[in-house]
Amino acid sequence: MKRTRIVLVLVFCLIFTCQINSQEISRNSIALSNVTIIDVENSQQLESMTIIIEKDKILSIRPSDSVDLKGIANKIDLKGNYVIPGLIDSHVHLFRPKNRKEILTQLFYSGITSVRDMGGDARVYQSLNNEIKQNTLLGPDIYYSANVFGSKFLKDPRTKFANLGYEPGTAPWMRLIEDTSDIEKIVLDAKEAGVTGLKVYSNISPKLLTKISEIAHENGLKMWSHSSIFPSKPSDAVNAKVDVLSHSIGMIFEKESEMPDSFGEAIRNFIPLQDFKNTNSLDSEFIKLFQKMKSNSIIFEPTLLAWNLKFRPQKPKPKEKAKNKNPTQHLSSAANKMDVAAMDDWAKRITKAAYKNGVVIAVGTDFNQDVKWVQDEIELLTECGLKNIDAIKAATLNNAKVIGIEDMYGSISEGKVANLVVLSENPLEKIQNIRNVLSVFKNGIEYKANE
């Protein structure tokens, strides 16, 4: 008798569940059938699957031969095609380009559904996000940072460039922090401006870095850091438990016993003296650093495109230099004095070493004027030894973790937002296939790539 009751209860629960599912799958649902899913959570591909999208969410993922599509009006047969999660660029600078709206739309049609902006005027990003939300602008969602720095960084023209209406160092999104600063207030002001995280740039001591990180995390903000925050070096940032270290070049300073005080001093007098060519990326200092990063779940964003010779812009002509009021011109001038080829090789080697030692890798292009593409950075990561699936994961799920949105974005999973990219060829067989975009789904709405 007891066994009979248990069976009846199970049958009732099964019927009840089926009724709920049939009610949830409405006529307005979208069925993507017979598609191969690139599953970045489990590092596999799932063939002949059907994805049911209800409004803006993924309602179900099932083998196609087990799904009844009767009653669904919008059925899309994707046999022979592949679906990856919407791509994310974890390092852009949208403030500088005047044609930023056109750039956002270009990025979107390439498959990028979210970006993390790492320095600029928060008012600009608030306005852009409002247009994107209201569907008057087609582009990826923008998550943005507040830059924090020490007093020596006030000499940098960018502290004025993104501070219109404020004294340099006082805007909530471009803030001077010193030992005597009210860090709690600074963090709350940044949060009020809508930032997702703080970006620590330069001239921050290890002790102050730890304090900022603690208060940022207590208030629900991410802590994003350059790999070297002169005078703090990579291990200081790791000890402060930041969430992400950006830039492969700065990792070389882990071996320095005496650090310069500021980014400006480093780029003028210290970086050109580093032996990028002969430094071993597997030296004990770096292995210890990687072990700490892995144990603290700190993500590494190498920004390979920033130094790769193939993608670096050509030097402007002298007349063009004179007319250019570029706030980062001083960086370009300094870079012209460096051995970029050796730095490019170092960037690849330290990225490969980090990956081999279990550090989670993220994908950021660090574009600020000329558009750079996530797909190029993904390809460069495979040249550093990442498997194709891991390079794709770096630009999707790992980048969602960078921002802190992995619960709802970054992979193709039931309950997550339906941000998807449909490809005509398999990117696991050839990574360049990630460029063969047929359509992009954002919030469950399809946009054809040729529109």
Side-chain angles (χ1 to χ4, degrees), residues 100 395 408:
R100 61 178 72 95
M408 295 303 295

Side-chain angles (χ1 to χ4, degrees), residues 42-333:
N42 300 295
S43 300
Q44 62 182 344
Q45 68 178 39
L46 304 172
E47 299 178 359
S48 299
M49 302 297 289
T50 291
I51 303 170
I52 304 294
I53 300 172
E54 176 71 18
K55 296 181 179 178
D56 63 337
K57 302 290 194 310
I58 297 173
L59 180 63
S60 70
I61 302 171
R62 298 284 185 274
S64 293
D65 59 7
S66 68
V67 180
D68 184 358
L69 299 182
K70 292 178 181 178
I72 297 180
N74 194 351
K75 295 187 282 284
I76 304 174
D77 189 347
L78 293 178
K79 187 174 183 179
N81 298 142
Y82 302 80
V83 174
I84 62 171
L87 297 171
I88 302 172
D89 189 338
S90 69
H91 202 130
V92 303
H93 294 277
L94 291 166
F95 180 66
R96 187 177 163 205
K98 299 300 181 184
N99 61 331
R100 61 178 72 95
K101 291 184 180 181
E102 291 83 355
I103 288 173
L104 285 168
T105 300
Q106 289 176 354
L107 294 177
F108 177 77
Y109 276 117
S110 79
I112 299 171
T113 54
S114 302
V115 298
R116 179 182 67 143
D117 192 284
M118 293 297 282
D121 191 328
R123 295 167 294 189
V124 170
Y125 309 133
Q126 291 166 359
S127 176
L128 290 170
N129 272 334
N130 283 336
E131 291 188 54
I132 291 167
K133 187 176 181 180
Q134 295 167 8
N135 296 319
T136 57
L137 171 62
L138 185 58
D141 294 325
I142 305 167
Y143 301 85
Y144 53 94
S145 65
N147 280 17
V148 296
F149 45 82
S151 59
K152 290 189 176 182
F153 190 66
L154 287 172
K155 296 178 182 178
D156 192 291
R158 287 170 291 177
T159 62
K160 302 177 181 66
F161 186 62
N163 271 276
L164 297 181
Y166 289 84
E167 287 294 319
T170 66
W173 53 85
M174 190 69 67
R175 198 64 177 263
L176 168 67
I177 291 188
E178 300 177 287
D179 290 333
T180 57
S181 297
D182 185 345
I183 300 176
E184 182 83 29
K185 185 178 186 307
I186 289 172
V187 168
L188 291 175
D189 287 346
K191 191 172 183 178
E192 182 68 21
V195 308
T196 302
L198 301 184
K199 176 187 177 182
V200 185
Y201 202 104
S202 173
N203 195 213
I204 300 290
S205 69
K207 183 178 179 181
L208 184 56
L209 181 62
T210 298
K211 187 175 181 181
I212 297 169
S213 183
E214 289 174 351
I215 295 175
H217 287 142
E218 286 171 2
N219 286 278
L221 293 182
K222 288 289 187 179
M223 186 71 171
W224 302 322
S225 174
H226 273 197
S227 50
S228 287
I229 321 99
F230 313 102
S232 298
K233 59 184 183 179
S235 57
D236 294 320
V238 171
N239 291 334
K241 297 184 178 178
V242 303
D243 296 292
V244 183
L245 284 187
S246 293
H247 305 309
S248 48
I249 296 302
M251 298 290 273
I252 201 169
F253 281 92
E254 184 59 26
K255 298 193 69 162
E256 283 291 322
S257 56
E258 295 185 10
M259 290 282 280
D261 283 336
S262 68
F263 176 78
E265 184 182 357
I267 199 167
R268 287 192 303 271
N269 303 319
F270 282 78
I271 293 180
L273 299 178
Q274 297 299 310
D275 190 0
F276 289 100
K277 184 176 181 179
N278 297 307
T279 299
N280 186 350
S281 61
L282 294 174
D283 280 347
S284 60
E285 294 89 345
F286 301 120
I287 298 300
K288 290 178 182 177
L289 180 66
F290 298 145
Q291 290 171 345
K292 280 188 177 181
M293 292 177 71
K294 182 180 178 180
S295 63
N296 288 319
S297 300
I298 294 173
I299 298 172
F300 179 42
E301 180 209 24
T303 61
L304 298 168
L305 280 168
W307 298 99
N308 189 268
L309 296 175
K310 178 180 177 182
F311 297 101
R312 285 183 68 80
Q314 298 296 316
K315 295 179 181 179
K317 298 176 182 178
K319 288 184 179 180
E320 293 175 332
K321 283 184 179 180
K323 294 179 181 179
N324 188 7
K325 296 181 180 179
N326 177 1
T328 58
Q329 185 63 50
H330 63 301
L331 302 182
S332 300
S333 299

Side-chain angles (χ1 to χ4, degrees), residues 272-444:
L273 299 178
Q274 297 299 310
D275 190 0
F276 289 100
K277 184 176 181 179
N278 297 307
T279 299
N280 186 350
S281 61
L282 294 174
D283 280 347
S284 60
E285 294 89 345
F286 301 120
I287 298 300
K288 290 178 182 177
L289 180 66
F290 298 145
Q291 290 171 345
K292 280 188 177 181
M293 292 177 71
K294 182 180 178 180
S295 63
N296 288 319
S297 300
I298 294 173
I299 298 172
F300 179 42
E301 180 209 24
T303 61
L304 298 168
L305 280 168
W307 298 99
N308 189 268
L309 296 175
K310 178 180 177 182
F311 297 101
R312 285 183 68 80
Q314 298 296 316
K315 295 179 181 179
K317 298 176 182 178
K319 288 184 179 180
E320 293 175 332
K321 283 184 179 180
K323 294 179 181 179
N324 188 7
K325 296 181 180 179
N326 177 1
T328 58
Q329 185 63 50
H330 63 301
L331 302 182
S332 300
S333 299
N336 290 336
K337 301 175 184 178
M338 300 174 189
D339 185 349
V340 178
M343 295 170 79
D344 177 34
D345 181 63
W346 162 258
K348 292 177 181 176
R349 288 189 288 114
I350 196 68
T351 300
K352 181 177 182 178
Y355 173 66
K356 292 295 184 183
N357 281 276
V359 176
V360 174
I361 306 297
V363 173
T365 61
D366 196 16
F367 93 72
N368 56 71
Q369 182 179 19
D370 300 311
V371 178
K372 297 177 183 177
W373 302 97
V374 160
Q375 294 85 348
D376 291 326
E377 186 79 7
I378 291 171
E379 187 173 339
L380 290 176
L381 285 177
T382 63
E383 294 177 11
C384 296
L386 271 72
K387 297 177 182 177
N388 287 9
I389 186 68
D390 289 336
I392 296 169
K393 183 176 181 178
T396 53
L397 186 57
N398 293 355
N399 273 356
K401 291 177 180 178
V402 165
I403 298 170
I405 57 174
E406 68 272 20
D407 287 346
M408 295 303 295
Y409 299 88
S411 63
I412 303 173
S413 304
E414 292 180 355
K416 286 195 174 186
V417 174
N419 284 3
L420 311 168
V421 182
V422 180
L423 305 173
S424 61
E425 304 290 339
N426 191 347
L428 299 189
E429 294 178 356
K430 183 179 179 183
I431 197 61
Q432 290 80 5
N433 289 336
I434 203 165
R435 307 174 194 274
N436 299 332
V437 177
L438 294 176
S439 63
V440 179
F441 284 81
K442 187 184 179 197
N443 299 325

